């Protein structure tokens, strides 16, 4: 299911004119919405993922919906040589890279007893190593443009979420990278931040992880939208945030603070009935 961003715009249309975004996972879900929002404000974009057919379809749809220029490049974030080639093609096409979104991720519900060695390693490789690999490949260009990086995170490890130790561990390490990179790259004029989305409606992730999610668990009493994350992306890349670095912005309506469930919530237990 695609989750495109409505045309509501808080910032001026052209604030990213002349800028180039490179986004992993930008062909679907939250990261597609983030990419689309940056396109709507004047940037050009490159989206990367493993499936070129799906990427090209998403790029075509985004070109039609935004009028912006976006291209698709197939690459596996677990393979540095493919990312280096994707970066080379991006710079060859657009001349530079200003913004980077590390959004490629894998996740599923799994109790510890049923979580295989391979499954745990795969999530770490896609989420954590993928974030490192793409940033490493694009680093000299981000430094040259004094650009900005957003790492897509999650609140899973803030309180310890059942059946999510693989993804939570990866996101905890990604948040650590955000802080280390902010300190090390700051003197080069590069800002590094994260976004930790809460439960976002109409996304594949919520269909897999929380099909019966009860929005009353959110203090603001609603699920989030892709647009909520997209607008936060525009803010963090914009000059309005030009003295913000090393921060992971939680965009979840206060959800993670509400750790008052009696035992495991039904929205987690229901998909696992008969599997524990």
């Amino acid at each position: 299911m695609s989750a495109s961003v409505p045309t509501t715009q808080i910032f001026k249309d052209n604030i990213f004119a002349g800028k180039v975004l490179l986004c992993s996972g930008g062909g679907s879900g939250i990261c597609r919405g983030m990419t689309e929002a940056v396109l709507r404000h004047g940037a050009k974009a490159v989206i990367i993922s493993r499936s070129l057919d799906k990427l090209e379809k998403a790029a075509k749809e985004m070109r039609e919906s935004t009028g912006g220029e976006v291209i698709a490049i197939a690459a596996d974030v677990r393979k540095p040589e493919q990312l280096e080639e994707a970066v080379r093609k991006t710079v060859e096409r657009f001349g530079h890279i200003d913004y980077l979104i590390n959004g490629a991720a894998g996740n599923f519900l799994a109790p510890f007893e049923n979580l295989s060695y391979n499954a745990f390693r795969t999530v770490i490789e896609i989420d954590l190593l993928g974030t490192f690999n793409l940033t490493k490949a694009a680093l000299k260009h981000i430094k040259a443009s004094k650009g900005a990086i957003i790492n897509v995170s999650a609140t899973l490890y803030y309180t310890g979420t059942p059946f999510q130790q693989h993804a939570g561990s990866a996101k905890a390490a990604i948040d650590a990278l955000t802080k280390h990179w902010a300190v090390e790259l700051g003197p080069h004029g590069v800002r590094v931040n994260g976004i930790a989305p809460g439960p976002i409606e109409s996304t594949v992730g919520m269909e897999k992880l929380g099909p019966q999610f009860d929005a009353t668990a959110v203090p603001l009493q609603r699920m989030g939208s892709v647009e909520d994350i997209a607008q936060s992306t525009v803010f963090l890349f914009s000059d309005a945030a030009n003295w913000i670095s090393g921060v992971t912005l939680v965009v979840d309506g206060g959800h993670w603070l509400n750790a008052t469930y009696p035992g495991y919530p039904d929205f987690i237990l229901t998909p696992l009935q008969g599997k524990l």
Side-chain angles (χ1 to χ4, degrees):
M1 177 183 294
S2 64
S4 60
V5 180
T7 56
T8 302
Q9 293 189 195
I10 298 169
F11 293 86
K12 292 181 178 179
D13 292 352
N14 64 349
I15 60 171
F16 298 143
K19 303 295 187 181
V20 176
L21 166 69
L22 176 60
C23 178
S24 67
S28 63
I30 289 171
C31 292
R32 173 171 171 169
M34 296 168 77
T35 300
E36 198 168 342
V38 176
L39 282 167
R40 289 189 187 280
H41 288 85
K44 298 177 174 63
V46 175
I47 54 176
I48 64 173
S49 187
R50 286 177 292 173
S51 175
L52 186 58
D53 289 345
K54 292 180 181 178
L55 271 183
E56 288 182 334
K57 180 177 183 292
K60 180 176 182 294
E61 290 172 352
M62 283 192 277
R63 285 193 293 269
E64 293 172 350
S65 65
T66 68
E69 189 174 356
V70 53
I71 64 171
I73 299 175
D76 187 333
V77 295
R78 294 170 294 182
K79 298 180 178 180
E81 67 279 3
Q82 292 186 13
L83 298 178
E84 290 173 357
E85 179 64 9
V87 167
R88 186 192 68 78
K89 289 179 178 178
T90 299
V91 174
E92 184 178 76
R93 175 69 175 265
F94 294 125
H96 51 97
I97 300 172
D98 302 280
Y99 302 137
L100 178 65
I101 295 174
N102 286 301
N107 200 3
F108 46 85
L109 291 170
F112 194 178
E113 292 84 355
N114 296 349
L115 183 63
S116 70
Y117 298 108
N118 182 64
F120 186 88
R121 184 182 67 249
T122 297
V123 171
I124 295 297
E125 287 177 344
I126 295 172
D127 289 45
L128 175 57
L129 295 183
T131 295
F132 175 85
N133 290 342
L134 182 56
T135 305
K136 178 76 171 177
L139 183 57
K140 70 177 182 180
H141 302 289
I142 297 291
K143 287 169 64 176
S145 65
K146 299 185 185 301
I149 299 168
I150 293 177
N151 296 325
V152 179
S153 185
T155 62
L156 299 169
Y157 73 94
Y158 291 8
T159 57
T161 303
F163 316 136
Q164 289 282 271
Q165 63 177 288
H166 45 307
S169 297
K171 296 305 188 183
I174 288 170
D175 286 356
L177 287 179
T178 295
K179 294 175 181 178
H180 289 295
W181 291 347
V183 171
E184 188 168 342
L185 300 180
H188 298 279
V190 176
R191 294 186 300 108
V192 186
N193 291 295
I195 290 180
I200 304 299
E201 63 186 354
S202 301
T203 59
V204 173
M206 280 307 298
E207 289 177 354
K208 288 181 178 179
L209 303 179
Q212 299 179 38
F213 182 80
D214 183 358
T216 61
V218 180
L220 290 182
Q221 299 294 288
R222 70 171 178 90
M223 292 180 68
S225 67
V226 171
E227 185 177 13
D228 290 321
I229 309 305
Q231 298 290 12
S232 298
T233 301
V234 173
F235 166 67
L236 285 177
F237 278 150
S238 76
D239 287 344
N242 66 8
W243 214 49
I244 297 175
S245 194
V247 169
T248 295
L249 179 64
V250 178
V251 187
D252 76 339
H255 177 239
W256 83 268
L257 297 167
N258 187 26
T260 58
Y261 291 113
Y264 295 133
D266 288 341
F267 83 90
I268 287 178
L269 288 178
T270 300
L272 293 170
Q273 294 302 317
K275 300 180 182 179
L276 295 177

